Amino acid sequence: MQTVMVNASSAYPVHIGGGLLERAGELVAGATKSRTCAVITDTTVEKLYAARVCRSLQDAGVTVRLHAFPAGEQSKNIAVYGGMLEFLAESGLTRSDFAVALGGGVAGDMAGFAAATYQRGIDYIQMPTTLLAASDSSVGGKTAIDLAAGKNLAGAFHQPKMVICDTDAFQTLPEEDFAGGMAETVKHALIADAGFYRFLMEEPVRERIGDVVRRNVEIKASVVGEDEFERGRRKILNFGHTLGHAIEKNSGFTVPHGHAVAMGMVLAARAAERMAYSPAGTLDAVLAACRRFRLPTQCPYTAPQLYAAAISDKKRDGGSIDVVVLEELGRARTVRLDLEGLRRFTEAAL
Ligand code: NAD
Ligand code: GLY
């Protein structure tokens, strides 16, 4: 087992390794004195992993209530979130009890938001089962649901007490979802670590998956430790996301998040290179990584469709929006654009 500490407003460990779901009870006992919890998961992960997590928690003396919602991004809405809150209340959870978010980024973001808001905030533990959740969404405390107007438009910053990442869970992950996790992994390498980019391009990542997750978490922990509430540096984690979210919205949330981010990174790199924010060769580096991990690189939407969706993005600040560009491989910065600038950026992206 490898452990990375996240030093945000509260410090917490991220445990990474094989067989950790069976050890959930033992690990959780070190994070909380509470003996009652609600495990929140989706219906796919419920069938695969809920029994072993519940058993492990019960063996450690924890009373467990289990709640599953239909798998997929389409569930990341206010009705399903409301159902979670009602479940927590019906289960009689008190402010000293805790929730467990078991699953991918959807379960993590939603259960995290329910934990952030139920009785004005209870503790929760992240147990990511997708590569995307392990490498990105379970760390850093961003929780959210989607609204009809766009992605993650209602949410809260609420750091987990602990993250338990069992890398064995990736064995049941469909190829498409593994690739989605590689998109956020490539993003971390592109914005923060050229050496990690070379590692990803040369090494057999599946065989080195514990190290891949650890490096992702280290990069994310370093950024979040510096700027937990996204006032500055944390914005670089949104590389590829302004147009990626616009793709997700245009698709009615049927394009998976990681795949939309891959296309969004290609679009951002192309626009930034054409507008001279990034050096020549940046787009090729992004394309090469996306191809290596079988991620889509062609955006099916037009510039006006992307622009219309992007201006409702929460990263917009009045009449301006920050987009992330690569200054070189492994280094990123934000560029503030007015709405006309965003329109030109979107046109240059295609
Ligand atoms: P997801 O949670 O929908 O999981 C993808 C699919 O994999 C689902 O059908 C799920 O049931 C299934 N699954 C999960 N674990 C499995 C396993 N081990 N074996 C087999 N199937 C499994 O999606 P995701 O890609 O994990 O996460 C995407 C979400 O994460 C998006 O909503 C995105 O906005 C969010 N996100 C949040 C942050 C953050 O910082 N909070 C960062 C990145 C992404
Ligand atoms: N995934 C972007 C962030 O956590 O800030």
mmCIF file of all heavy atoms in Angstrom, residues 78-102:
data_model
loop_
_atom_site.group_PDB
_atom_site.id
_atom_site.type_symbol
_atom_site.label_atom_id
_atom_site.label_comp_id
_atom_site.label_asym_id
_atom_site.label_seq_id
_atom_site.Cartn_x
_atom_site.Cartn_y
_atom_site.Cartn_z
ATOM 1 N N ILE A 78 -30.484 16.684 -9.643
ATOM 2 C CA ILE A 78 -31.013 17.121 -8.358
ATOM 3 C C ILE A 78 -31.999 16.105 -7.760
ATOM 4 O O ILE A 78 -32.076 15.952 -6.536
ATOM 5 C CB ILE A 78 -31.635 18.533 -8.497
ATOM 6 C CG1 ILE A 78 -31.696 19.237 -7.155
ATOM 7 C CG2 ILE A 78 -32.983 18.508 -9.191
ATOM 8 C CD1 ILE A 78 -31.661 20.743 -7.267
ATOM 9 N N ALA A 79 -32.696 15.340 -8.612
ATOM 10 C CA ALA A 79 -33.665 14.370 -8.097
ATOM 11 C C ALA A 79 -32.938 13.208 -7.414
ATOM 12 O O ALA A 79 -33.314 12.787 -6.305
ATOM 13 C CB ALA A 79 -34.543 13.854 -9.241
ATOM 14 N N VAL A 80 -31.894 12.696 -8.054
ATOM 15 C CA VAL A 80 -31.146 11.572 -7.465
ATOM 16 C C VAL A 80 -30.416 12.038 -6.201
ATOM 17 O O VAL A 80 -30.365 11.325 -5.189
ATOM 18 C CB VAL A 80 -30.174 10.973 -8.515
ATOM 19 C CG1 VAL A 80 -29.303 9.892 -7.896
ATOM 20 C CG2 VAL A 80 -30.965 10.401 -9.686
ATOM 21 N N TYR A 81 -29.883 13.254 -6.269
ATOM 22 C CA TYR A 81 -29.223 13.843 -5.084
ATOM 23 C C TYR A 81 -30.240 13.984 -3.940
ATOM 24 O O TYR A 81 -29.947 13.637 -2.784
ATOM 25 C CB TYR A 81 -28.625 15.192 -5.490
ATOM 26 C CG TYR A 81 -28.359 16.164 -4.382
ATOM 27 C CD1 TYR A 81 -27.297 15.980 -3.498
ATOM 28 C CD2 TYR A 81 -29.164 17.299 -4.231
ATOM 29 C CE1 TYR A 81 -27.051 16.896 -2.481
ATOM 30 C CE2 TYR A 81 -28.914 18.215 -3.221
ATOM 31 C CZ TYR A 81 -27.861 18.014 -2.347
ATOM 32 O OH TYR A 81 -27.622 18.917 -1.354
ATOM 33 N N GLY A 82 -31.441 14.451 -4.267
ATOM 34 C CA GLY A 82 -32.487 14.582 -3.244
ATOM 35 C C GLY A 82 -32.804 13.235 -2.611
ATOM 36 O O GLY A 82 -32.997 13.130 -1.393
ATOM 37 N N GLY A 83 -32.838 12.189 -3.453
ATOM 38 C CA GLY A 83 -33.078 10.834 -2.941
ATOM 39 C C GLY A 83 -32.004 10.411 -1.941
ATOM 40 O O GLY A 83 -32.289 9.723 -0.950
ATOM 41 N N MET A 84 -30.767 10.815 -2.208
ATOM 42 C CA MET A 84 -29.675 10.475 -1.265
ATOM 43 C C MET A 84 -29.900 11.156 0.085
ATOM 44 O O MET A 84 -29.718 10.542 1.140
ATOM 45 C CB MET A 84 -28.329 10.967 -1.817
ATOM 46 C CG MET A 84 -27.790 10.120 -2.922
ATOM 47 S SD MET A 84 -26.241 10.829 -3.543
ATOM 48 C CE MET A 84 -26.072 9.818 -5.003
ATOM 49 N N LEU A 85 -30.283 12.441 0.036
ATOM 50 C CA LEU A 85 -30.502 13.157 1.298
ATOM 51 C C LEU A 85 -31.640 12.516 2.090
ATOM 52 O O LEU A 85 -31.542 12.329 3.313
ATOM 53 C CB LEU A 85 -30.822 14.633 1.025
ATOM 54 C CG LEU A 85 -29.707 15.481 0.425
ATOM 55 C CD1 LEU A 85 -30.187 16.909 0.185
ATOM 56 C CD2 LEU A 85 -28.474 15.501 1.326
ATOM 57 N N GLU A 86 -32.718 12.162 1.373
ATOM 58 C CA GLU A 86 -33.855 11.517 2.063
ATOM 59 C C GLU A 86 -33.409 10.190 2.672
ATOM 60 O O GLU A 86 -33.829 9.833 3.784
ATOM 61 C CB GLU A 86 -35.017 11.277 1.085
ATOM 62 C CG GLU A 86 -35.674 12.545 0.539
ATOM 63 C CD GLU A 86 -36.370 13.393 1.607
ATOM 64 O OE1 GLU A 86 -36.508 12.949 2.763
ATOM 65 O OE2 GLU A 86 -36.758 14.533 1.268
ATOM 66 N N PHE A 87 -32.563 9.460 1.946
ATOM 67 C CA PHE A 87 -32.067 8.181 2.474
ATOM 68 C C PHE A 87 -31.265 8.393 3.758
ATOM 69 O O PHE A 87 -31.424 7.664 4.738
ATOM 70 C CB PHE A 87 -31.204 7.471 1.422
ATOM 71 C CG PHE A 87 -30.514 6.251 1.958
ATOM 72 C CD1 PHE A 87 -31.203 5.059 2.097
ATOM 73 C CD2 PHE A 87 -29.189 6.301 2.363
ATOM 74 C CE1 PHE A 87 -30.579 3.934 2.638
ATOM 75 C CE2 PHE A 87 -28.554 5.188 2.902
ATOM 76 C CZ PHE A 87 -29.254 4.002 3.037
ATOM 77 N N LEU A 88 -30.396 9.413 3.748
ATOM 78 C CA LEU A 88 -29.586 9.686 4.945
ATOM 79 C C LEU A 88 -30.498 10.018 6.127
ATOM 80 O O LEU A 88 -30.281 9.549 7.256
ATOM 81 C CB LEU A 88 -28.608 10.840 4.681
ATOM 82 C CG LEU A 88 -27.526 10.575 3.621
ATOM 83 C CD1 LEU A 88 -26.702 11.835 3.369
ATOM 84 C CD2 LEU A 88 -26.609 9.438 4.041
ATOM 85 N N ALA A 89 -31.539 10.802 5.855
ATOM 86 C CA ALA A 89 -32.460 11.186 6.936
ATOM 87 C C ALA A 89 -33.258 9.976 7.430
ATOM 88 O O ALA A 89 -33.365 9.742 8.640
ATOM 89 C CB ALA A 89 -33.391 12.290 6.438
ATOM 90 N N GLU A 90 -33.802 9.185 6.467
ATOM 91 C CA GLU A 90 -34.584 7.999 6.870
ATOM 92 C C GLU A 90 -33.726 7.005 7.649
ATOM 93 O O GLU A 90 -34.225 6.272 8.511
ATOM 94 C CB GLU A 90 -35.139 7.290 5.624
ATOM 95 C CG GLU A 90 -36.355 7.970 5.034
ATOM 96 C CD GLU A 90 -36.546 7.595 3.574
ATOM 97 O OE1 GLU A 90 -35.979 6.584 3.130
ATOM 98 O OE2 GLU A 90 -37.263 8.353 2.876
ATOM 99 N N SER A 91 -32.430 6.969 7.328
ATOM 100 C CA SER A 91 -31.522 6.047 8.021
ATOM 101 C C SER A 91 -31.139 6.557 9.395
ATOM 102 O O SER A 91 -30.422 5.877 10.134
ATOM 103 C CB SER A 91 -30.248 5.841 7.195
ATOM 104 O OG SER A 91 -30.569 5.368 5.923
ATOM 105 N N GLY A 92 -31.560 7.772 9.701
ATOM 106 C CA GLY A 92 -31.292 8.328 11.034
ATOM 107 C C GLY A 92 -29.835 8.712 11.245
ATOM 108 O O GLY A 92 -29.355 8.739 12.382
ATOM 109 N N LEU A 93 -29.119 9.020 10.136
ATOM 110 C CA LEU A 93 -27.730 9.425 10.322
ATOM 111 C C LEU A 93 -27.653 10.751 11.068
ATOM 112 O O LEU A 93 -28.439 11.671 10.788
ATOM 113 C CB LEU A 93 -27.008 9.549 8.967
ATOM 114 C CG LEU A 93 -26.001 8.415 8.718
ATOM 115 C CD1 LEU A 93 -26.762 7.136 8.356
ATOM 116 C CD2 LEU A 93 -25.011 8.772 7.649
ATOM 117 N N THR A 94 -26.736 10.830 12.008
ATOM 118 C CA THR A 94 -26.550 12.065 12.764
ATOM 119 C C THR A 94 -25.289 12.765 12.275
ATOM 120 O O THR A 94 -24.539 12.222 11.466
ATOM 121 C CB THR A 94 -26.388 11.767 14.269
ATOM 122 O OG1 THR A 94 -25.134 11.111 14.466
ATOM 123 C CG2 THR A 94 -27.514 10.879 14.774
ATOM 124 N N ARG A 95 -25.038 13.942 12.823
ATOM 125 C CA ARG A 95 -23.865 14.713 12.366
ATOM 126 C C ARG A 95 -22.549 14.047 12.712
ATOM 127 O O ARG A 95 -21.524 14.378 12.139
ATOM 128 C CB ARG A 95 -23.901 16.120 12.983
ATOM 129 C CG ARG A 95 -24.994 16.959 12.385
ATOM 130 C CD ARG A 95 -24.942 18.359 12.899
ATOM 131 N NE ARG A 95 -23.890 19.115 12.226
ATOM 132 C CZ ARG A 95 -23.662 20.399 12.447
ATOM 133 N NH1 ARG A 95 -24.389 21.048 13.312
ATOM 134 N NH2 ARG A 95 -22.715 21.024 11.810
ATOM 135 N N SER A 96 -22.583 13.111 13.651
ATOM 136 C CA SER A 96 -21.311 12.449 13.992
ATOM 137 C C SER A 96 -21.121 11.148 13.213
ATOM 138 O O SER A 96 -20.119 10.450 13.394
ATOM 139 C CB SER A 96 -21.225 12.198 15.493
ATOM 140 O OG SER A 96 -22.335 11.436 15.890
ATOM 141 N N ASP A 97 -22.073 10.793 12.335
ATOM 142 C CA ASP A 97 -21.908 9.604 11.489
ATOM 143 C C ASP A 97 -21.215 10.016 10.183
ATOM 144 O O ASP A 97 -20.900 11.180 9.976
ATOM 145 C CB ASP A 97 -23.277 8.974 11.225
ATOM 146 C CG ASP A 97 -23.922 8.509 12.533
ATOM 147 O OD1 ASP A 97 -23.171 8.083 13.441
ATOM 148 O OD2 ASP A 97 -25.160 8.606 12.660
ATOM 149 N N PHE A 98 -21.014 9.043 9.311
ATOM 150 C CA PHE A 98 -20.285 9.377 8.083
ATOM 151 C C PHE A 98 -20.858 8.650 6.873
ATOM 152 O O PHE A 98 -21.594 7.670 7.006
ATOM 153 C CB PHE A 98 -18.777 9.097 8.249
ATOM 154 C CG PHE A 98 -18.397 7.637 8.390
ATOM 155 C CD1 PHE A 98 -17.903 6.914 7.311
ATOM 156 C CD2 PHE A 98 -18.517 6.977 9.617
ATOM 157 C CE1 PHE A 98 -17.528 5.580 7.447
ATOM 158 C CE2 PHE A 98 -18.143 5.640 9.752
ATOM 159 C CZ PHE A 98 -17.647 4.938 8.672
ATOM 160 N N ALA A 99 -20.517 9.163 5.701
ATOM 161 C CA ALA A 99 -20.931 8.536 4.444
ATOM 162 C C ALA A 99 -19.705 7.960 3.754
ATOM 163 O O ALA A 99 -18.579 8.407 3.994
ATOM 164 C CB ALA A 99 -21.611 9.573 3.542
ATOM 165 N N VAL A 100 -19.954 6.970 2.918
ATOM 166 C CA VAL A 100 -18.896 6.399 2.074
ATOM 167 C C VAL A 100 -19.337 6.556 0.631
ATOM 168 O O VAL A 100 -20.456 6.161 0.276
ATOM 169 C CB VAL A 100 -18.674 4.901 2.399
ATOM 170 C CG1 VAL A 100 -17.757 4.259 1.358
ATOM 171 C CG2 VAL A 100 -18.103 4.727 3.800
ATOM 172 N N ALA A 101 -18.476 7.173 -0.191
ATOM 173 C CA ALA A 101 -18.756 7.293 -1.626
ATOM 174 C C ALA A 101 -18.005 6.173 -2.321
ATOM 175 O O ALA A 101 -16.778 6.227 -2.434
ATOM 176 C CB ALA A 101 -18.282 8.653 -2.134
ATOM 177 N N LEU A 102 -18.737 5.144 -2.751
ATOM 178 C CA LEU A 102 -18.117 3.966 -3.373
ATOM 179 C C LEU A 102 -18.454 3.953 -4.857
ATOM 180 O O LEU A 102 -19.618 3.808 -5.228
ATOM 181 C CB LEU A 102 -18.657 2.693 -2.694
ATOM 182 C CG LEU A 102 -18.241 1.365 -3.327
ATOM 183 C CD1 LEU A 102 -16.744 1.091 -3.136
ATOM 184 C CD2 LEU A 102 -19.066 0.210 -2.726
#
